[in-house]
Amino acid sequence: MCGIVGYIGHQDTIEILLKGLEKLEYRGYDSAGIAVRNQDGIHIFKEKGRIADLRGIVDQSVEAKTGIGHTRWATHGVPSKENAHPHQSASGRFTLVHNGVIENYEQLKREYLLDVALVSDTDTEIIVQLIDLFSKEGMETEEAFRKTLGMLKGSYALALLDSEAAETIFVAKNKSPLLVGLGDDFNVVASDAMAMLQVTDEYVELMDKEMVIVTKDSVAIKKLDGTAVTRDSYKAELDASDIEKGTYPHYMLKEIDEQPLVTRKIVQAYQNESGELAIDDKIAKAMDEADRLYIVACGTSYHAGLVGKQYIENMAKIPVEVHVASEFVYNMPLLSEKPLFIFISQSGETADSRAVLVKVKEMGYKALTITNAPGSTLSREADYTMLLHAGPEIAVASTKAYTAQISVLAILAGVTAKARGIELDFDLVKELGIAANAMEVLCDAKEEMEQIASEYLATTRNCFFIGRSVDFYVGLEGALKLKEISYIQAEGFAGGELKHGTIALIEDGTPVIALATQESVNLSIRGNVKEVAARGANPCVISMKGLESESDRFVLPEVHKLLTPLVSVIPFQLISYYAALHRECDVDKPRNLAKSVTVE
Ligand code: F6R
């Protein structure tokens, strides 16, 4: 979702901002812009479309030492040049970029800005016009900024330029992520450390309702009441090569291929000195004490949560409910007496999940976050964190984070079982190792998957994924992957549910991808395949070794029955990838989507 960069120093400001924005492209956006300040005033360049389009209109001859930049994912107002950030106040003095949503912007407009001719449909413009208004009333910029922040309801990460303040960026944060990066004779601002890794790896986190006055050699963090805040910086543990595509044509393909390695890394990360799986004692205790677990997540992470429920109930024997965060927050079920909440979030910044976390913390409950992003909001605000160790996931469509979430959930379930005195009848470390090897075999099956994609999906307008038991959950993920990157309407269904309505959609040639990895439901899913085939569908069965039939399209290497999602999802990821390529879709940056969904 929207991304912010800012730079203040002596290097090539425009190029640093543009490169920073390119690094934020993965978050998803539909327009972009930069503003730089020099002795002639503030120069704004903005454009609908990609950073490459913005590069096309930027006047590279403008020399400046201070600047801010933004990628916009439209919320208020269509994607357009007018609505793109930066926004400037009516007087031209202030220029602002914003990430987040201002809930009371209509009210603020009515109360304070009826006389101002607004030029965009955005909530952001209200902020910059208010700052202008208060400064015209005689306030210093810092005071006008603070007064405005005090009036805003909602989420914001802000970077502001004042044409009259020499070499300063005014920054503020509430609920939306923002960092200040430190350099030698320069400082930067970024939504994500990745954006500015090119110039520094030293960052200071900002907390909600803080503002910062950044110059090239000072960073003054303050609370909104003006109290100074001191905070240590940290080194961003990111390797610049982790965020490059290398020889891969797309990040998604690179990230699919990284999955076996990530699984092995996770096992290592959670092994103690004697090679046994171990988690923080406090987490094991909280799990053991809970009478029910509530897994809360969105999208792909929700799908991983469904698999996690199977693991925890099977291994640790604790009842689990899995909920979509955006529903849970407004429609909370009756909670058990001793609940523990588990948030699964690759980015750790998803606003829907965070809204639930804030609510359950207010209710006094404990929470564990499973995330790929140490230091992210969901990690900081929960009581406990388990890391995914997956490395940066750049493609919008989540792949390696999904399998990493499943591996971590398996470890959480296995260790909790042990802590509760339940002996597993299999060796989880060994079985995860076998699964990682099988994942490797599947990553090498690209030609077969490309073939399946071109045979079944090259021209279809829809596609169904069916499965039973855990295969149903993986089917949901397969359908999400396919629809989000290829725009084919794809849905996942429980095999047994088809006859209760969905089968009406089956026409001649409708592709139905069926997963058969579970012995207990093998016969019944094959019955469902026959039902759709009898009505003209074009079934593509992917089964597990030992359960295969002659007509199956692809047979997966055998892994432990609980760990099949780690391998069965890979064909779905690859089929989706090749289907998107066939249809000439932008694989890494699908339309309308954002990587880090920081608005509710
Ligand atoms: C789909 C996808 C999304 C995310 C969802 C939650 O490929 O990536 O469905 O899973 O937006 O994001 P996180 O896990 O960052 O909370």
Coordinates of all heavy atoms in Angstrom, one line a residue, residues 122-160:
T122 N -8.7 13.8 -2.3 CA -8.1 13.0 -1.2 C -8.3 13.6 0.2 O -8.6 14.8 0.4 CB -6.5 13.0 -1.4 OG1 -6.1 14.4 -1.3 CG2 -6.2 12.5 -2.8
D123 N -8.2 12.7 1.1 CA -8.2 13.1 2.5 C -6.9 13.8 2.9 O -6.9 14.7 3.7 CB -8.5 11.8 3.4 CG -7.5 10.7 3.1 OD1 -6.9 10.7 2.0 OD2 -7.4 9.7 3.9
T124 N -5.9 13.5 2.2 CA -4.5 14.0 2.5 C -4.5 15.6 2.3 O -3.9 16.3 3.1 CB -3.5 13.4 1.5 OG1 -3.6 12.0 1.6 CG2 -2.1 13.9 1.8
E125 N -5.2 16.0 1.3 CA -5.1 17.5 1.0 C -5.7 18.3 2.2 O -5.2 19.4 2.4 CB -5.9 17.8 -0.3 CG -5.6 19.2 -0.8 CD -6.4 19.7 -2.0 OE1 -7.0 18.8 -2.6 OE2 -6.4 20.9 -2.2
I126 N -6.6 17.7 2.9 CA -7.2 18.4 4.1 C -6.1 18.7 5.1 O -6.0 19.8 5.7 CB -8.3 17.5 4.7 CG1 -9.4 17.2 3.7 CG2 -8.8 18.1 6.0 CD1 -10.0 18.3 3.1
I127 N -5.2 17.7 5.2 CA -4.1 17.9 6.2 C -3.2 19.1 5.9 O -2.9 19.9 6.7 CB -3.2 16.6 6.4 CG1 -4.1 15.3 6.5 CG2 -2.2 16.7 7.5 CD1 -3.3 14.0 6.5
V128 N -2.8 19.1 4.6 CA -1.8 20.1 4.2 C -2.5 21.5 4.2 O -1.9 22.5 4.6 CB -1.1 19.8 2.9 CG1 -2.0 20.0 1.7 CG2 0.2 20.5 2.7
Q129 N -3.8 21.5 3.9 CA -4.5 22.8 3.9 C -4.7 23.3 5.4 O -4.6 24.5 5.7 CB -5.9 22.7 3.3 CG -5.8 22.3 1.8 CD -5.2 23.3 0.8 OE1 -4.6 24.3 1.3 NE2 -5.3 23.0 -0.5
L130 N -4.9 22.4 6.3 CA -5.1 22.8 7.7 C -3.8 23.4 8.2 O -3.8 24.4 8.9 CB -5.5 21.6 8.6 CG -6.9 21.2 8.5 CD1 -7.2 19.9 9.3 CD2 -7.9 22.2 9.0
I131 N -2.7 22.7 7.9 CA -1.3 23.2 8.4 C -1.2 24.7 7.8 O -0.7 25.6 8.6 CB -0.2 22.3 7.9 CG1 -0.4 20.9 8.5 CG2 1.2 22.9 8.3 CD1 0.5 19.8 7.9
D132 N -1.5 24.9 6.6 CA -1.4 26.2 6.0 C -2.2 27.2 6.7 O -1.8 28.3 7.0 CB -1.8 26.1 4.5 CG -1.3 27.1 3.6 OD1 -0.3 27.8 4.1 OD2 -1.8 27.3 2.5
L133 N -3.5 26.8 7.0 CA -4.4 27.7 7.7 C -3.9 28.1 9.0 O -3.9 29.3 9.3 CB -5.8 26.9 7.9 CG -6.9 27.6 8.5 CD1 -7.5 28.6 7.5 CD2 -7.9 26.7 9.0
F134 N -3.4 27.2 9.8 CA -2.9 27.5 11.1 C -1.6 28.3 11.1 O -1.4 29.2 11.9 CB -2.7 26.2 12.0 CG -4.0 25.5 12.2 CD1 -4.0 24.1 12.1 CD2 -5.2 26.1 12.4 CE1 -5.2 23.4 12.2 CE2 -6.4 25.5 12.6 CZ -6.4 24.1 12.5
S135 N -0.8 28.1 10.0 CA 0.4 28.9 9.9 C 0.0 30.3 9.5 O 0.6 31.3 10.0 CB 1.4 28.2 9.0 OG 1.4 28.9 7.8
K136 N -1.0 30.5 8.7 CA -1.4 31.8 8.3 C -2.0 32.6 9.5 O -1.9 33.8 9.6 CB -2.5 31.7 7.3 CG -2.0 31.6 5.9 CD -3.1 31.6 4.9 CE -2.7 31.1 3.5 NZ -3.8 30.3 2.9
E137 N -2.5 31.8 10.5 CA -3.0 32.4 11.7 C -1.9 32.8 12.7 O -2.1 33.2 13.8 CB -4.0 31.4 12.4 CG -5.3 31.3 11.7 CD -6.2 30.2 12.3 OE1 -5.9 29.6 13.4 OE2 -7.3 30.0 11.7
G138 N -0.7 32.5 12.2 CA 0.5 33.0 13.0 C 1.3 31.9 13.7 O 2.3 32.2 14.4
M139 N 0.9 30.7 13.5 CA 1.7 29.6 14.2 C 3.0 29.3 13.5 O 3.0 29.3 12.2 CB 0.8 28.3 14.3 CG -0.3 28.4 15.3 SD -1.1 26.8 15.3 CE -2.6 27.3 16.2
E140 N 4.0 28.9 14.2 CA 5.2 28.3 13.6 C 4.8 27.0 13.0 O 3.8 26.3 13.4 CB 6.3 28.0 14.7 CG 6.8 29.3 15.4 CD 7.6 30.1 14.4 OE1 8.3 29.5 13.5 OE2 7.5 31.4 14.5
T141 N 5.6 26.5 12.0 CA 5.3 25.3 11.3 C 5.1 24.1 12.3 O 4.1 23.3 12.2 CB 6.3 25.0 10.3 OG1 6.4 26.1 9.4 CG2 6.0 23.7 9.5
E142 N 6.0 24.0 13.2 CA 5.9 22.8 14.1 C 4.6 22.9 14.9 O 3.9 21.8 15.1 CB 7.1 22.9 15.1 CG 7.1 21.6 16.0 CD 8.3 21.6 16.9 OE1 9.4 22.2 16.6 OE2 8.2 21.1 18.0
E143 N 4.2 24.0 15.3 CA 3.0 24.2 16.1 C 1.8 23.9 15.2 O 0.8 23.2 15.7 CB 2.9 25.6 16.6 CG 2.1 25.8 17.8 CD 2.0 27.3 18.2 OE1 2.8 28.1 17.7 OE2 1.1 27.6 18.9
A144 N 1.8 24.4 14.0 CA 0.7 24.2 13.1 C 0.5 22.7 12.8 O -0.6 22.2 12.7 CB 0.9 25.0 11.8
F145 N 1.7 22.1 12.6 CA 1.7 20.6 12.3 C 1.1 19.9 13.5 O 0.2 19.0 13.4 CB 3.2 20.2 12.1 CG 3.4 18.9 11.5 CD1 2.5 18.3 10.5 CD2 4.4 18.1 11.9 CE1 2.7 17.1 10.0 CE2 4.7 16.8 11.4 CZ 3.8 16.3 10.4
R146 N 1.6 20.2 14.7 CA 1.1 19.5 15.9 C -0.4 19.7 16.1 O -1.1 18.8 16.4 CB 1.9 20.0 17.1 CG 1.6 19.3 18.4 CD 2.4 19.7 19.5 NE 3.8 19.4 19.4 CZ 4.8 20.3 19.4 NH1 4.5 21.6 19.6 NH2 6.0 19.9 19.3
K147 N -0.8 21.0 15.9 CA -2.3 21.3 16.1 C -3.1 20.4 15.1 O -4.1 19.8 15.5 CB -2.5 22.7 15.9 CG -4.0 23.0 15.9 CD -4.4 24.5 16.2 CE -5.9 24.6 16.1 NZ -6.4 25.8 16.6
T148 N -2.6 20.3 13.9 CA -3.3 19.6 12.9 C -3.4 18.1 13.3 O -4.4 17.4 13.2 CB -2.7 19.7 11.5 OG1 -2.6 21.1 11.2 CG2 -3.4 19.0 10.4
L149 N -2.2 17.6 13.7 CA -2.2 16.1 14.0 C -3.2 15.8 15.1 O -3.8 14.8 15.1 CB -0.7 15.8 14.5 CG 0.4 15.9 13.5 CD1 1.7 15.6 14.1 CD2 0.1 14.9 12.3
G150 N -3.3 16.8 16.1 CA -4.2 16.6 17.2 C -5.7 16.5 16.8 O -6.5 16.0 17.5
M151 N -6.0 17.0 15.6 CA -7.3 17.0 15.1 C -7.7 15.7 14.2 O -8.8 15.5 13.9 CB -7.6 18.2 14.3 CG -7.5 19.5 15.1 SD -7.2 20.9 14.1 CE -8.8 21.1 13.5
L152 N -6.6 15.0 13.8 CA -6.9 13.9 12.8 C -7.3 12.7 13.5 O -6.7 12.2 14.5 CB -5.6 13.6 12.1 CG -4.9 14.8 11.3 CD1 -3.6 14.3 10.6 CD2 -5.9 15.4 10.3
K153 N -8.4 12.0 13.0 CA -8.8 10.7 13.4 C -8.5 9.7 12.3 O -8.8 10.0 11.1 CB -10.3 10.7 13.7 CG -10.8 11.5 14.8 CD -12.1 10.9 15.4 CE -12.5 11.6 16.7 NZ -13.4 12.7 16.4
G154 N -7.8 8.7 12.7 CA -7.5 7.7 11.6 C -6.0 7.3 11.7 O -5.3 7.4 12.7
S155 N -5.5 6.9 10.5 CA -4.1 6.5 10.5 C -3.3 7.4 9.6 O -3.8 7.9 8.6 CB -4.1 5.0 9.9 OG -4.8 5.0 8.7
Y156 N -2.1 7.6 9.9 CA -1.2 8.4 9.1 C 0.3 8.2 9.3 O 0.7 7.9 10.4 CB -1.5 9.9 9.3 CG -1.4 10.4 10.7 CD1 -0.1 10.7 11.3 CD2 -2.5 10.7 11.5 CE1 0.0 11.1 12.6 CE2 -2.4 11.1 12.8 CZ -1.1 11.3 13.3 OH -1.0 11.8 14.6
A157 N 1.0 8.2 8.2 CA 2.4 8.4 8.2 C 2.6 9.6 7.3 O 2.0 9.6 6.2 CB 3.2 7.2 7.6
L158 N 3.3 10.7 7.8 CA 3.3 11.9 7.0 C 4.7 12.4 6.9 O 5.5 12.3 7.8 CB 2.5 13.0 7.8 CG 1.0 12.8 8.1 CD1 0.5 13.8 9.1 CD2 0.2 12.8 6.8
A159 N 5.0 13.0 5.7 CA 6.3 13.8 5.6 C 5.9 15.1 4.9 O 5.3 15.1 3.9 CB 7.3 13.0 4.8
L160 N 6.4 16.2 5.5 CA 6.0 17.5 5.1 C 7.2 18.4 4.8 O 8.2 18.4 5.6 CB 5.2 18.2 6.3 CG 4.8 19.6 6.2 CD1 3.5 19.7 5.3 CD2 4.5 20.2 7.6

